[in-house]
């Protein structure tokens, strides 16, 4: 995604992208293949791989059984059901841990939300609201814990120093 700064013309943004086409191509090629949520596909959940199993005649939503995530109901609703379940599982895992970690810092969490973010794993607002990507539930627990702890730490130290921001950006590249 090319984000055009407000003060930059569309032409300048496109020229910038064109000047970085090799870098963009290299990074696009390094991305993992997109996993479709279809019967038999393998997806990570809390860092473990599970096979998706569609049960068209089944009832009961989504559950884990025998190293599989089972999705009941018609196949055209499977993706939505799975994503809804993953979001709910993320909320169940994230909220209690965020509150516990904040309590260790003698801070209060105003609210924890789980969203469909695409550019951030988590964020902390000045008034104590924490927000996290539901996709964290796909990562290993130590990664989930790290991101939650990082955002909770902002409850005590809200500032983002230039050094801290540079460090995070260097890890991303």
């Amino acid at each position: 995604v090319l984000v055009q700064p407000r003060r930059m013309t569309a032409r300048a943004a496109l020229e910038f992208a064109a000047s970085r086409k090799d870098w963009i191509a290299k990074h696009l090629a390094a991305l993992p293949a997109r996993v479709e949520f279809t019967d038999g596909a393998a997806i990570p959940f809390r860092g473990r791989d599970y096979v998706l199993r569609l049960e068209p005649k089944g009832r009961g939503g989504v559950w884990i059984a025998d190293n599989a995530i089972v999705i009941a109901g018609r196949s055209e609703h499977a993706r939505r059901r799975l994503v809804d379940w993953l979001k709910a599982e993320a909320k169940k895992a994230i909220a209690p841990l965020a509150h516990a970690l904040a309590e260790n810092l003698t801070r209060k969490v105003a609210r924890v939300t789980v969203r469909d973010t695409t550019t951030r794993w988590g964020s902390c607002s000045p008034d104590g609201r924490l927000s996290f990507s539901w996709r964290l539930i796909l990562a290993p627990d130590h990664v989930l814990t790290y991101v939650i702890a990082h955002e909770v730490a902002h409850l005590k130290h809200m500032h983002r120093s230039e050094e801290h921001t540079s460090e995070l950006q260097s890890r991303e590249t």
Side-chain angles (χ1 to χ4, degrees):
V1 175
L2 175 62
V3 178
Q4 176 184 335
R6 288 189 182 130
R7 294 183 182 142
M8 181 182 277
T9 65
R11 181 178 175 175
L14 291 171
E15 286 173 359
F16 173 80
S19 74
R20 304 295 193 282
K21 70 179 181 183
D22 292 339
W23 181 90
I24 293 168
K26 178 180 124 185
H27 283 81
L28 286 175
L31 289 173
R34 183 180 172 107
V35 175
E36 295 298 324
F37 292 160
T38 58
D39 191 50
I43 68 162
F45 175 74
R46 300 196 79 162
R48 266 187 68 208
D49 285 338
Y50 290 86
V51 174
L52 296 180
R53 292 284 175 239
L54 302 184
E55 291 288 338
K57 296 186 192 273
R59 294 193 176 271
V62 179
W63 65 92
I64 293 177
D66 301 323
N67 294 318
I69 297 176
V70 182
I71 308 164
R74 294 175 27 195
S75 62
E76 60 265 28
H77 303 297
R79 178 175 171 65
R80 181 192 47 81
R81 284 183 184 211
L82 177 61
V83 171
D84 288 348
W85 181 80
L86 290 168
K87 287 177 182 177
E89 290 296 310
K91 180 83 173 189
K92 284 194 300 193
I94 292 169
L97 183 54
H99 286 285
L101 291 170
E103 190 175 309
N104 287 343
L105 295 176
T106 62
R107 294 293 192 264
K108 294 266 185 210
V109 173
R111 185 173 69 216
V112 175
T113 57
V114 174
R115 300 177 187 261
D116 191 10
T117 59
T118 56
T119 59
R120 292 183 180 204
W121 289 113
S123 63
C124 176
S125 71
D127 61 353
R129 289 177 288 130
L130 302 176
S131 181
F132 298 93
S133 169
W134 67 264
R135 290 170 181 83
L136 278 170
I137 202 65
L138 304 174
D141 283 345
H142 69 275
V143 172
L144 180 91
T145 301
Y146 172 83
V147 172
I148 296 167
H150 177 95
E151 296 308 331
V152 167
H154 286 302
L155 296 172
K156 190 165 187 167
H157 301 286
M158 185 47 114
H159 67 281
R160 279 204 177 258
S161 70
E162 196 173 296
E163 178 182 307
H164 174 75
T165 303
S166 296
E167 177 189 334
L168 288 175
Q169 288 172 341
S170 68
R171 286 187 202 160
E172 293 171 359
T173 54

